[in-house]
Protein backbone atom coordinates (compact mmCIF):
# COMPACT_ATOMS: atom_id res chain seq x y z
CA UNK A 1 0.00 0.00 0.00
CA UNK A 2 1.49 3.37 -0.94
CA UNK A 3 2.26 5.67 1.96
CA UNK A 4 1.78 9.18 0.66
CA UNK A 5 4.37 11.61 2.04
CA UNK A 6 3.44 14.07 4.71
CA UNK A 7 2.96 17.52 3.24
CA UNK A 8 3.86 20.91 4.64
CA UNK A 9 0.40 22.21 3.69
CA UNK A 10 -1.51 20.14 6.26
CA UNK A 11 -4.01 22.46 7.94
CA UNK A 12 -3.68 22.42 11.74
CA UNK A 13 -5.23 25.81 12.52
CA UNK A 14 -8.60 24.47 13.73
CA UNK A 15 -9.85 21.29 15.40
CA UNK A 16 -9.68 18.47 12.83
CA UNK A 17 -12.93 16.73 13.73
CA UNK A 18 -15.48 19.33 12.60
CA UNK A 19 -18.36 17.88 10.55
CA UNK A 20 -17.72 17.82 6.83
CA UNK A 21 -20.12 19.37 4.35
CA UNK A 22 -22.10 17.15 2.00
CA UNK A 23 -20.07 18.44 -0.96
CA UNK A 24 -16.78 17.50 0.69
CA UNK A 25 -18.07 14.08 1.66
CA UNK A 26 -19.11 13.50 -1.94
CA UNK A 27 -15.74 14.68 -3.20
CA UNK A 28 -13.88 12.30 -0.89
CA UNK A 29 -16.01 9.41 -2.15
CA UNK A 30 -15.15 10.34 -5.74
CA UNK A 31 -11.45 10.59 -4.90
CA UNK A 32 -11.55 7.24 -3.10
CA UNK A 33 -13.19 5.57 -6.09
CA UNK A 34 -10.67 7.09 -8.48
CA UNK A 35 -7.84 5.87 -6.23
CA UNK A 36 -9.25 2.33 -6.15
CA UNK A 37 -9.72 2.26 -9.93
CA UNK A 38 -6.21 3.58 -10.59
CA UNK A 39 -4.56 1.28 -8.06
CA UNK A 40 -6.10 -1.95 -9.35
CA UNK A 41 -5.50 -0.95 -12.98
CA UNK A 42 -1.84 0.03 -12.84
CA UNK A 43 -0.87 0.36 -9.18
CA UNK A 44 -0.36 4.12 -9.40
CA UNK A 45 -3.08 6.23 -7.73
CA UNK A 46 -3.41 9.89 -8.63
CA UNK A 47 -1.66 12.34 -6.25
CA UNK A 48 -4.12 13.78 -3.70
CA UNK A 49 -5.42 17.29 -4.50
CA UNK A 50 -4.22 20.18 -2.35
CA UNK A 51 -6.84 22.83 -3.15
CA UNK A 52 -9.25 22.55 -0.19
CA UNK A 53 -8.04 23.57 3.29
CA UNK A 54 -10.85 21.56 4.93
CA UNK A 55 -9.58 18.35 3.35
CA UNK A 56 -6.03 19.20 4.38
CA UNK A 57 -6.88 19.12 8.08
CA UNK A 58 -4.96 16.40 9.89
CA UNK A 59 -7.45 13.60 10.53
CA UNK A 60 -7.41 9.81 10.49
CA UNK A 61 -9.77 7.84 8.28
CA UNK A 62 -10.73 4.30 7.34
CA UNK A 63 -12.13 3.17 4.01
CA UNK A 64 -14.34 0.09 3.83
CA UNK A 65 -15.23 -1.72 0.61
CA UNK A 66 -18.37 -3.85 0.41
CA UNK A 67 -20.06 -5.72 -2.40
CA UNK A 68 -23.03 -3.79 -3.74
CA UNK A 69 -26.34 -5.40 -2.88
CA UNK A 70 -25.06 -8.09 -0.52
CA UNK A 71 -23.03 -5.76 1.69
CA UNK A 72 -20.34 -8.42 2.04
CA UNK A 73 -17.03 -7.03 3.31
CA UNK A 74 -14.35 -6.86 0.61
CA UNK A 75 -11.63 -4.84 2.34
CA UNK A 76 -10.96 -2.25 5.02
CA UNK A 77 -7.87 -0.17 5.69
CA UNK A 78 -7.02 3.06 7.45
CA UNK A 79 -5.15 4.83 10.20
CA UNK A 80 -5.91 4.94 13.91
CA UNK A 81 -4.33 8.32 14.58
CA UNK A 82 -4.20 11.60 12.67
CA UNK A 83 -0.79 11.56 11.02
CA UNK A 84 -1.61 13.48 7.87
CA UNK A 85 -4.28 15.32 5.90
CA UNK A 86 -7.73 13.75 5.72
CA UNK A 87 -7.61 13.55 1.92
CA UNK A 88 -4.30 11.68 2.09
CA UNK A 89 -5.63 9.28 4.71
CA UNK A 90 -8.76 8.56 2.65
CA UNK A 91 -6.87 7.89 -0.58
CA UNK A 92 -4.29 5.70 1.15
CA UNK A 93 -7.07 3.79 2.92
CA UNK A 94 -8.96 3.28 -0.34
CA UNK A 95 -5.89 1.88 -2.08
CA UNK A 96 -5.08 -0.33 0.90
CA UNK A 97 -8.63 -1.68 1.19
CA UNK A 98 -8.58 -2.69 -2.47
CA UNK A 99 -5.06 -4.09 -2.68
CA UNK A 100 -3.54 -4.69 0.75
CA UNK A 101 -6.08 -6.17 3.17
CA UNK A 102 -4.51 -9.55 4.07
CA UNK A 103 -7.94 -11.12 4.59
CA UNK A 104 -8.77 -10.80 0.88
CA UNK A 105 -7.12 -11.16 -2.48
CA UNK A 106 -6.51 -7.82 -4.25
CA UNK A 107 -9.53 -6.48 -6.10
CA UNK A 108 -9.57 -6.80 -9.88
CA UNK A 109 -10.50 -4.16 -12.45
CA UNK A 110 -13.72 -6.03 -13.20
CA UNK A 111 -14.75 -6.00 -9.53
CA UNK A 112 -14.47 -2.26 -8.97
CA UNK A 113 -17.90 -1.25 -10.35
CA UNK A 114 -19.52 -3.73 -7.97
CA UNK A 115 -17.83 -2.31 -4.87
CA UNK A 116 -19.47 0.22 -2.56
CA UNK A 117 -17.16 2.64 -0.76
CA UNK A 118 -17.70 3.74 2.83
CA UNK A 119 -15.54 6.33 4.60
CA UNK A 120 -15.13 6.75 8.36
CA UNK A 121 -13.40 9.98 9.43
CA UNK A 122 -12.21 9.56 13.01
CA UNK A 123 -11.95 11.92 15.93
CA UNK A 124 -8.81 11.84 18.05
CA UNK A 125 -8.84 8.71 20.26
CA UNK A 126 -8.91 9.21 24.02
CA UNK A 127 -8.83 6.82 26.99
CA UNK A 128 -12.24 5.38 27.81
CA UNK A 129 -13.62 3.13 30.54
CA UNK A 130 -15.72 0.12 29.52
CA UNK A 131 -18.78 1.45 31.35
CA UNK A 132 -18.64 4.68 29.32
CA UNK A 133 -18.80 2.96 25.94
CA UNK A 134 -21.90 3.88 23.92
CA UNK A 135 -22.70 1.39 21.19
CA UNK A 136 -23.08 3.07 17.81
CA UNK A 137 -21.19 6.13 18.99
CA UNK A 138 -17.78 4.89 20.07
CA UNK A 139 -15.17 2.95 18.16
CA UNK A 140 -12.44 1.26 20.17
CA UNK A 141 -8.68 0.88 20.01
CA UNK A 142 -6.52 -1.36 22.18
CA UNK A 143 -3.03 0.14 22.35
CA UNK A 144 0.27 -0.60 24.01
CA UNK A 145 3.00 2.00 24.33
CA UNK A 146 1.20 4.33 21.96
CA UNK A 147 0.96 1.66 19.26
CA UNK A 148 -2.51 0.44 18.22
CA UNK A 149 -2.86 -3.33 18.46
CA UNK A 150 -6.45 -3.53 17.23
CA UNK A 151 -9.25 -1.19 16.17
CA UNK A 152 -12.98 -1.61 15.63
CA UNK A 153 -15.12 1.10 14.06
CA UNK A 154 -18.31 2.39 15.76
CA UNK A 155 -20.57 0.67 13.23
CA UNK A 156 -19.23 -2.82 14.01
CA UNK A 157 -21.52 -3.70 16.97
CA UNK A 158 -24.71 -2.99 15.02
CA UNK A 159 -23.45 -4.97 12.03
CA UNK A 160 -22.75 -8.03 14.18
CA UNK A 161 -25.37 -7.76 16.92
CA UNK A 162 -22.84 -7.13 19.70
CA UNK A 163 -23.40 -5.79 23.19
CA UNK A 164 -20.59 -3.94 25.00
CA UNK A 165 -19.08 -7.15 26.34
CA UNK A 166 -19.09 -8.68 22.87
CA UNK A 167 -17.55 -5.51 21.43
CA UNK A 168 -14.68 -5.72 23.91
CA UNK A 169 -14.20 -9.43 23.27
CA UNK A 170 -14.06 -8.78 19.52
CA UNK A 171 -11.49 -6.03 20.07
CA UNK A 172 -9.36 -8.46 22.05
CA UNK A 173 -9.49 -10.97 19.20
CA UNK A 174 -8.59 -8.27 16.68
CA UNK A 175 -5.64 -7.18 18.83
CA UNK A 176 -4.68 -10.81 19.58
CA UNK A 177 -4.83 -10.03 23.29
CA UNK A 178 -7.76 -11.91 24.88
CA UNK A 179 -10.02 -9.77 27.05
CA UNK A 180 -9.27 -11.92 30.10
CA UNK A 181 -5.59 -10.91 29.94
CA UNK A 182 -6.06 -7.13 29.85
CA UNK A 183 -6.01 -6.69 33.63
CA UNK A 184 -2.64 -8.47 33.81
CA UNK A 185 -0.95 -6.06 31.38
CA UNK A 186 -0.73 -2.48 32.73
CA UNK A 187 0.82 -1.31 29.46
CA UNK A 188 -2.50 -1.81 27.64
CA UNK A 189 -4.74 1.22 27.12
CA UNK A 190 -8.36 1.19 25.94
CA UNK A 191 -9.12 4.17 23.71
CA UNK A 192 -12.43 5.40 22.35
CA UNK A 193 -13.18 7.57 19.36
CA UNK A 194 -16.13 8.74 17.30
CA UNK A 195 -16.47 8.84 13.53
CA UNK A 196 -18.33 10.55 10.74
CA UNK A 197 -19.45 7.71 8.48
CA UNK A 198 -20.84 8.06 4.98
CA UNK A 199 -21.00 5.88 1.89
CA UNK A 200 -21.95 5.66 -1.73
CA UNK A 201 -25.61 4.81 -2.29
CA UNK A 202 -26.39 1.13 -2.55
CA UNK A 203 -28.97 0.44 -5.27
CA UNK A 204 -32.07 -1.28 -3.96
CA UNK A 205 -33.22 -4.49 -5.64
CA UNK A 206 -35.20 -3.65 -8.73
CA UNK A 207 -34.15 0.00 -8.51
Amino acid sequence: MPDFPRHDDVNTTNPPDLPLSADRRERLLRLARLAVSSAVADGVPEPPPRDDPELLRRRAAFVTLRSRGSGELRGCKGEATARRALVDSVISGAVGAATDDPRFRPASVDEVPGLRIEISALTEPRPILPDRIELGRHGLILARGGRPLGLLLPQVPAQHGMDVAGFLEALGRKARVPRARWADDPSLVLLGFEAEVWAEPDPTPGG
Side-chain angles (χ1 to χ4, degrees), residues 58-136:
R58 188 176 288 125
R59 190 170 185 183
F62 271 73
V63 175
T64 303
L65 303 180
R66 296 186 181 277
S67 298
R68 291 189 182 276
S70 70
E72 183 178 353
L73 182 65
R74 186 60 181 83
C76 183
K77 276 284 185 173
E79 300 170 337
T81 57
R83 302 188 299 113
R84 50 187 165 181
L86 174 60
V87 65
D88 298 336
S89 186
V90 166
I91 291 177
S92 179
V95 173
T99 65
D100 196 42
D101 187 329
R103 298 171 295 179
F104 304 96
R105 58 176 172 74
S108 67
V109 172
D110 292 341
E111 282 184 276
V112 172
L115 297 177
R116 179 173 180 253
I117 296 174
E118 177 184 278
I119 298 173
S120 301
L122 280 53
T123 63
E124 196 67 21
R126 302 185 184 282
I128 191 170
L129 296 173
D131 62 2
R132 302 301 297 272
I133 296 169
E134 296 182 33
L135 295 177

Side-chain angles (χ1 to χ4, degrees), residues 24 27 72 90 95-97 101 105 108 128 136 158 174 177 179 181 187-188 201 206:
R24 290 188 173 98
R27 187 180 189 193
E72 183 178 353
V90 166
V95 173
D101 187 329
R105 58 176 172 74
S108 67
I128 191 170
K174 187 74 174 287
V177 183
R179 176 77 175 91
R181 289 172 44 195
S187 67
L188 292 174

Side-chain angles (χ1 to χ4, degrees), residues 3-199:
D3 189 12
F4 293 107
R6 301 181 191 183
H7 293 268
D8 293 334
D9 55 0
V10 173
N11 184 351
T12 60
T13 57
N14 290 312
D17 51 359
L18 299 175
L20 292 165
S21 68
D23 287 346
R24 290 188 173 98
R25 288 184 174 198
E26 180 62 31
R27 187 180 189 193
L28 286 171
L29 285 171
R30 291 197 304 268
L31 290 170
R33 178 158 290 280
L34 179 61
V36 168
S37 298
S38 299
V40 301
D42 56 23
V44 184
E46 293 290 327
R50 322 304 299 173
D51 61 343
D52 186 340
E54 291 297 320
L55 301 188
L56 294 178
R57 297 189 189 282
R58 188 176 288 125
R59 190 170 185 183
F62 271 73
V63 175
T64 303
L65 303 180
R66 296 186 181 277
S67 298
R68 291 189 182 276
S70 70
E72 183 178 353
L73 182 65
R74 186 60 181 83
C76 183
K77 276 284 185 173
E79 300 170 337
T81 57
R83 302 188 299 113
R84 50 187 165 181
L86 174 60
V87 65
D88 298 336
S89 186
V90 166
I91 291 177
S92 179
V95 173
T99 65
D100 196 42
D101 187 329
R103 298 171 295 179
F104 304 96
R105 58 176 172 74
S108 67
V109 172
D110 292 341
E111 282 184 276
V112 172
L115 297 177
R116 179 173 180 253
I117 296 174
E118 177 184 278
I119 298 173
S120 301
L122 280 53
T123 63
E124 196 67 21
R126 302 185 184 282
I128 191 170
L129 296 173
D131 62 2
R132 302 301 297 272
I133 296 169
E134 296 182 33
L135 295 177
R137 176 184 177 186
H138 291 124
L140 297 177
I141 298 169
L142 189 65
R144 177 187 286 127
R147 184 174 70 88
L149 302 177
L151 178 149
L152 292 176
L153 295 169
Q155 52 268 44
V156 167
Q159 292 167 348
H160 297 278
M162 296 175 179
D163 57 12
V164 171
F167 197 18
L168 291 168
E169 292 288 345
L171 179 65
R173 291 192 295 272
K174 187 74 174 287
R176 298 185 179 181
V177 183
R179 176 77 175 91
R181 289 172 44 195
W182 293 7
D184 299 326
D185 189 342
S187 67
L188 292 174
V189 178
L190 181 65
L191 303 171
F193 62 90
E194 299 178 38
E196 285 186 73
V197 183
W198 68 100

